[in-house]
Amino acid sequence: MTQETQAPAPPRRPVRQLLAASVGNAIEWYDWYAYTFLATYIAAQVFPESADDSLVPLLSTFAVFAVGFFMRPVGGLLMGAVADRHGRRAALTTTILLMGGSSLLVGLTPSYASAGLAAPVVLVTARLLQGLSVGGEFAASTTFLVESAGPGRRGLFSSFQYVSTTLGQLAASGLTAVLVSTLGDGPMGEWGWRVPFLLGAVLSLVGFWIRRGAEETLRKPEHPAAPRPGLFDALRHHPRASLLICGITAGGTLAYYTWTSYLPTYAELSGVDKGDTLFASTLALAFFAALQPLGGLLSDRFGRKPPLLFFGLGFTLLAVALLRAVDSFTSLLLVACAGMVLLTGFTSVSAAVNAEIFPARVRAAGIGFPYSLTVALFGGTAPYLGTLFRELDRPGLFAWYVSALCLLSSLVYLRLPETAHRDLDR
């Protein structure tokens, strides 16, 4: 192993590292998901309504949601390179400041009635910055978490990637539910939807302060003149690993964003009350967060492939039936929780698998770009495609799309080398 790729042993205070990564990550994803839960309110304020079709503003809002995702590969590459060249902590503090600024911009976005076309332009700009931040966040925090883990605990630590992500979602969903029930549709549509974004900007400063005190997990080269990794070194020298991450992620990200982002809207369009969809989503997300450490511990003991295959084959066989069953609050809650159980097979281990595939020298950028590109292609487009299929009067096709992509990822899992019990390259 070269001197440049060696990293220190796991930090002396791994629990503190875990908290630093988790708190900051939760705040990042609170900002990101607030947009999803408030999509219908943003649509009414920022986009002009078509006289022929009331779904046009909502489709426009989800199109901007997808645009944010397409900045994520850029963020994964750039912030991943920062993490590999200057340290994981430097990248983590940068991403959370970017997220805070973009959240503030969303909160201050003018309405279409007052600013015309400037309103969607401001919103798109904010989502581009959010996408840049989130792409870099996953690359840096995944690497930071796994490198902070002690022996035999990489799966457990990696599971907190989605524990903290889900806590951010819970905060966004819970606050939205409280605001909707307290303010009602009128004030909520006029100004209430801005409150979560303005609060997110403040919380990002808290996350920045917490992350500044974290211990660095990347060791500086012993020789200052040693070359640092180039921007595309991971892609150039590890093409197979990059393709593996795409295959591992494709089905997982589509199922994840379908169940955590689009399902409330899907249920609402199927006739379920808006308040009920938010409440059911909040309960399911809490259940999901509680499952993650269990999935991570099991993967440390039995390997990464069994939970991945549990997820992939489960969604292949059940996605269509589950989505067809949504027609009431009770059915929505049961479908959401069933999907969360299956999803845990992917979410609790994906960060560990990604980190174990790449050497330390290019780990963050190596994870960041192919992962974020795959998420942009399949996860970021999930709400838009689901809504589009419904507008075309073919809502059932979306469920088959989820099933087919999970089948393709399952084929990748079958050929994936087991990495759980190997030493992590440091």
Side-chain angles (χ1 to χ4, degrees), residues 8-319:
R12 292 166 295 178
R13 302 175 68 180
V15 175
R16 183 177 179 180
Q17 296 286 100
L18 185 62
L19 290 174
S22 297
V23 171
N25 198 45
I27 294 170
E28 280 262 359
W29 289 93
Y30 160 85
D31 287 343
W32 178 260
Y33 279 107
Y35 183 94
T36 304
F37 292 118
L38 294 162
T40 54
Y41 295 106
I42 296 172
Q45 285 288 306
V46 178
F47 294 98
E49 184 171 347
S50 169
D52 301 322
D53 195 341
S54 61
L55 278 180
V56 168
L58 185 58
L59 279 171
S60 300
T61 310
F62 281 140
V64 177
F65 181 78
V67 164
F69 272 85
F70 280 95
M71 280 299 288
R72 289 178 64 167
V74 180
L77 186 63
L78 294 180
M79 292 296 104
V82 170
D84 288 333
R85 293 169 65 90
H86 303 290
R88 318 310 189 198
R89 188 174 59 183
L92 288 172
T93 53
T94 302
T95 57
I96 202 162
L97 286 178
L98 276 174
M99 180 58 79
S102 57
S103 185
L104 178 63
L105 194 57
V106 173
L108 298 178
T109 298
S111 66
Y112 186 85
S114 64
L117 290 176
V121 169
V122 171
L123 184 64
V124 168
T125 302
R127 287 299 291 181
L128 290 175
L129 290 174
Q130 284 187 325
L132 187 71
S133 171
V134 169
E137 172 68 19
F138 186 88
S141 63
T142 292
T143 304
F144 180 82
L145 275 172
V146 176
E147 290 176 350
S148 295
R153 288 291 181 265
R154 295 197 302 264
L156 174 63
F157 269 54
S158 79
S159 72
F160 277 84
Q161 179 77 32
Y162 279 93
V163 171
S164 54
T165 297
T166 306
L167 290 177
Q169 288 178 268
L170 277 170
S173 175
L175 179 58
T176 301
V178 169
L179 288 172
V180 169
S181 62
T182 303
L183 298 178
D185 280 345
M188 190 68 193
E190 293 173 8
W191 58 268
W193 64 270
R194 301 178 186 274
V195 173
F197 298 106
L198 299 177
L199 177 61
V202 176
L203 291 176
S204 294
L205 296 177
V206 177
F208 172 77
W209 175 75
I210 292 172
R211 286 183 163 179
R212 280 179 59 88
E215 184 179 342
E216 181 55 66
T217 62
L218 178 68
R219 183 180 179 180
K220 293 182 180 180
E222 294 184 12
H223 301 289
R228 291 179 174 179
L231 192 62
F232 296 101
D233 275 9
L235 289 172
R236 186 163 53 246
H237 300 301
H238 304 279
R240 183 176 182 274
S242 299
L243 289 173
L244 267 179
I245 286 188
C246 293
I248 291 166
T249 306
T253 189
L254 175 60
Y256 176 77
Y257 281 101
T258 298
W259 249 252
T260 63
S261 298
Y262 177 60
L263 192 60
T265 302
Y266 176 86
E268 186 180 333
L269 294 174
S270 299
V272 182
D273 179 75
K274 183 184 298 184
D276 285 346
T277 64
L278 290 171
F279 183 52
S281 297
T282 302
L283 293 177
L285 285 170
F287 176 62
F288 180 63
L291 290 175
Q292 299 312 297
L294 176 61
L297 284 169
L298 289 174
S299 78
D300 282 330
R301 182 174 178 84
F302 300 108
R304 317 297 187 212
K305 292 180 68 171
L308 286 172
L309 287 169
F310 169 75
F311 152 74
L313 295 177
F315 264 103
T316 297
L317 297 173
L318 297 175

